[in-house]
Amino acid sequence: MYKQSRRLNSPRLTLTALAGVMLLAATGCSQLTQAQPLTKTQPLSNAQPVTPAAVAMPPWQAPERQQHPLVGTLYQLSTAQQISPGAVLAKLPAGSWLLLGEQHDHPDHHQLQLWVLRQLAAEQRLGAVAMEMLNTEQQAPLDAQLTLGAQSTPAALNWPERGWPFANYQAQVQFALDHASRVVAADFSDSEKTALRQNTGSVTEYSAEHTGYLAELIVKSHCGMFTAERAKPAARMQIARDQQMAKQMLANSQADKVNVLVAGAQHARKDIGVPLWIGEQPVLSILLVSVAESTDPKDYLPKALAAESPASAIADLIWFVPAIPAVDYCAQLKS
């Protein structure tokens, strides 16, 4: 079930998940010195106690298809069978990373992230929590707010509201500050992105096929408004961001706990995202997916980088949730 991926120094987006890539890429990226891990050796005095019992699943917030038979199920791609969330967490070994691949504007994705954090904390197994939404300029404020999550404000965390509405991530961040060993700023800062935007050719690529695949995804997410060749600099910046997240994860892993990454679904994919750069660190990838008409889990799988790859090469599990109202992102982009 676990992906043993390439090492970080190896030579080597759904429409919603990718809609922000070009905006992110427009600001660029750069390389970063790894942060040093913090360890939690004493109980967090300001943290609210969590009882070691099963945490109740939250009620669904998305209004559409709540009665769909797949809603709430976890589909294991290697066995083509359903498995309970509790069983998945129970199988996670110490030192592993659980990757939760989200659609950034889906409320139930955010609720399930919080459920995972609460359940691991209840079991006293929650290690570091890394988030794509947090950038390196926020690490010092995050460290200063450790154990003070309930009181943390956007101002105190230097929160980038323009890209990531605080309301979407407040509960996860505040809980993690109170219960995780460290809340890790996984992404580059704006200034680092700007620096790399000027030199995307410096990015170490995984393969020409991988870069081309990402470029095609970016073109599709932007409704064919430009060519794949023009999208390659943005694809390289996506690669650099995956590498950066992997660096931050490796630098902050808790060897005796389960660590969690919250990121967009494409970053969590094993065939194209962060797992390519995580080395021998055991990871388990869950893609959070909204249901549509089909009741066949296989119909929700994205196209793999390599056509002959098994489904489990894309991710380990799909976690199905109700749907939010459709948005015409192409109309938004063209306007």
Side-chain angles (χ1 to χ4, degrees):
M1 178 183 292
Y2 299 99
K3 170 70 175 179
Q4 301 297 326
S5 314
R6 294 180 180 272
R7 295 193 180 275
L8 192 57
N9 59 1
S10 172
R12 318 269 188 236
L13 277 148
T14 84
L15 186 59
T16 304
L18 286 167
V21 168
M22 291 297 285
L23 293 175
L24 288 167
T27 57
C29 309
S30 78
Q31 298 305 314
L32 176 72
T33 301
Q34 292 187 5
Q36 294 302 309
L38 296 182
T39 58
K40 181 171 61 178
T41 58
Q42 298 294 333
L44 302 180
S45 58
N46 292 332
Q48 297 179 358
V50 180
T51 56
V55 176
M57 282 286 180
W60 302 119
Q61 293 189 18
E64 299 185 1
R65 304 183 187 273
Q66 289 193 2
Q67 305 307 314
H68 192 289
L70 289 178
V71 164
T73 65
L74 256 176
Y75 180 76
Q76 189 170 29
L77 294 170
S78 62
T79 63
Q81 294 186 6
Q82 294 182 14
I83 185 171
S84 74
V88 170
L89 296 187
K91 293 179 179 180
L92 288 168
S96 64
W97 278 88
L98 173 60
L99 280 55
L100 300 177
E102 70 165 22
Q103 177 178 316
H104 298 315
D105 60 350
H106 201 301
D108 290 318
H109 292 193
H110 303 144
Q111 289 209 118
L112 291 180
Q113 294 161 5
L114 180 59
W115 180 87
V116 167
L117 299 182
R118 289 180 58 82
Q119 186 60 51
L120 288 172
E123 299 169 2
Q124 300 184 10
R125 299 170 63 219
L126 180 61
V129 176
M131 298 182 69
E132 174 195 0
M133 303 79 201
L134 301 170
N135 66 77
T136 55
E137 290 182 348
Q138 294 176 265
Q139 193 62 64
L142 287 164
D143 291 344
Q145 292 290 303
L146 198 66
T147 78
L148 303 174
Q151 293 84 37
S152 295
T153 64
L157 298 173
N158 192 22
W159 189 267
E161 185 68 24
R162 181 174 177 270
W164 309 103
F166 187 63
N168 290 352
Y169 302 99
Q170 178 177 358
Q172 302 95 300
V173 171
Q174 290 181 330
F175 186 88
L177 285 168
D178 278 344
H179 298 281
S181 60
R182 194 186 201 192
V183 179
V184 179
D187 201 5
F188 290 115
S189 68
D190 286 346
S191 60
E192 290 167 332
K193 291 175 184 176
T194 299
L196 187 57
R197 177 168 59 92
Q198 300 168 359
N199 186 23
T200 57
S202 66
V203 177
T204 300
E205 299 182 40
Y206 182 81
S207 68
E209 292 77 15
H210 175 252
T211 302
Y213 181 96
L214 292 179
E216 291 289 351
L217 287 178
I218 292 170
V219 171
K220 182 178 180 180
S221 75
H222 287 76
C223 314
M225 296 174 65
F226 41 80
T227 65
E229 191 63 31
R230 282 188 59 197
K232 284 186 177 179
R236 295 187 187 101
M237 293 182 66
Q238 186 78 357
I239 294 167
R241 295 179 65 227
D242 284 337
Q243 294 170 348
Q244 168 68 2
M245 292 184 210
K247 280 186 178 181
Q248 294 296 84
M249 292 162 65
L250 291 169
N252 289 279
S253 291
Q254 283 289 105
D256 59 340
K257 304 286 185 178
V258 174
N259 308 281
V260 179
L261 171 70
V262 174
Q266 306 307 329
H267 295 295
R269 281 180 53 173
K270 298 197 298 183
D271 60 336
I272 63 173
V274 172
L276 292 177
W277 310 98
I278 205 70
E280 298 304 315
Q281 193 87 12
V283 301
L284 183 120
S285 171
I286 301 180
L287 304 184
L288 305 172
V289 175
S290 301
V291 294
E293 290 186 9
S294 176
T295 59
D296 186 344
K298 294 188 296 295
D299 290 341
Y300 294 86
L301 277 173
K303 175 186 173 183
L305 172 60
E308 69 278 8
S309 297
S312 58
I314 301 172
D316 294 299
L317 302 114
I318 299 177
W319 204 344
F320 291 100
V321 301
I324 56 177
V327 176
D328 190 342
Y329 292 102
C330 288
Q332 289 184 1
L333 286 170
K334 292 175 181 178
S335 64

